[in-house]
């Protein structure tokens, strides 16, 4: 059974940094693309970043490009999101999710999600 | 970026009703469209991928149709656990979600 557990969220001042982690189990982590998605309070979903199974390919939404860095440690079955220069608008619940290919397109859908970790940017 | 617009933003329905949610893409995305369900306080769950393929474990009362720019998600007979928010998401290019459709109890 796929299990994803995020951690590392909390209250951070604008301009500060935070590192989120996602512990994966129940599947072959090193075979899977992984993604971070966020959801601001009461709002919709935003695809933040994804990383290929070996970590050689990454993608970032424009809203976080240059400030966030996604990485993974396949030996530890763990996914990370380093968040720097945080802004108030980064306040959200951050989910990690496993990617599923769709019709040959990698990282196309999200078939398993963690429960999320809340990041609050406030002075 | 390709935009996906859902309608309606919310709807009210009764148990047993058939409900349809629409998603329109700003350009042709073939069948690269997925649907998710999110219950309050919970993480989203994948229901439909590739426009019409039912995800393993999703109930058969959920179905998806469409291609190109227009897509629908239909719930054939609403159950209590179906009152939730539904999101479409395109995977043709830079991944984007629709703004969501909240299905509420009438």
């Amino acid at each position: 059974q796929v299990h994803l557990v995020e951690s590392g969220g909390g209250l951070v001042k604008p301009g500060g940094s935070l590192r989120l982690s996602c512990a994966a189990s129940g599947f072959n982590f090193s075979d899977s693309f992984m993604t971070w998605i966020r959801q601001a309070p009461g709002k919709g979903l935003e695809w933040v970043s994804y990383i290929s199974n070996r970590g050689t390919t990454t993608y970032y939404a424009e809203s976080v490009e240059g400030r966030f860095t996604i990485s993974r440690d396949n030996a530890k079955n763990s996914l990370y999101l380093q968040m720097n220069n945080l802004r108030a608008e980064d306040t959200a619940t951050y989910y990690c999710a496993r990617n599923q290919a769709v019709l040959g397109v990698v990282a196309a859908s999200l078939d398993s999600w963690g429960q999320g970790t809340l990041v609050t940017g406030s002075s | 970026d390709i935009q996906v617009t859902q309608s309606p933003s919310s709807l009210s329905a009764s148990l047993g009703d058939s409900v349809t949610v629409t998603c329109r893409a700003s350009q042709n995305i073939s069948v690269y469209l997925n649907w998710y369900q999110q219950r309050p306080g919970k993480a989203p769950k994948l229901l439909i991928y590739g426009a019409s393929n039912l995800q393993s474990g999703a109930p058969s009362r959920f179905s998806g149709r469409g291609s190109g720019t227009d897509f629908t998600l239909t719930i054939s007979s609403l159950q209590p656990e179906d009152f939730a928010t539904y999101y479409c998401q395109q995977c043709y290019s830079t991944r984007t979600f629709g703004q969501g459709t909240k299905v509420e109890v009438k």
Side-chain angles (χ1 to χ4, degrees), chain A residues 9 24 32 34-35 39 43 46 50 60 64 78 95 109-110 123:
Chain A
S32 297
M34 298 294 295
T35 290
Q39 186 170 37
K43 302 297 183 182
E46 180 184 12
Y50 78 71
Y60 299 94
V64 306
S78 292
Y95 297 98
S109 66
L110 304 157
S123 54

Side-chain angles (χ1 to χ4, degrees), chain A residues 37 39 43-47 50 59 61-62 95 100-116, chain B residues 1 31-34 36 38 41-46 49-51 53 55 87 89-92 94-99:
Chain A
I37 308 96
Q39 186 170 37
K43 302 297 183 182
L45 301 167
E46 180 184 12
W47 196 294
Y50 78 71
Y59 157 83
E62 277 189 28
Y95 297 98
Q100 173 180 282
V102 174
L103 303 172
V105 173
V106 297
S109 66
L110 304 157
D111 70 351
S112 298
W113 297 61
Q115 85 291 346
Chain B
D1 286 1
V31 293
Y32 294 100
L33 192 286
N34 309 312
Y36 300 84
Q38 186 177 33
K42 301 295 186 181
K45 290 177 60 175
L46 179 63
Y49 66 91
N53 300 283
Q55 177 68 6
Y87 294 92
Q89 172 245 318
Q90 64 82 15
C91 53
Y92 184 84
T94 305
R95 315 296 187 244
T96 48
F97 289 94
Q99 78 277 19

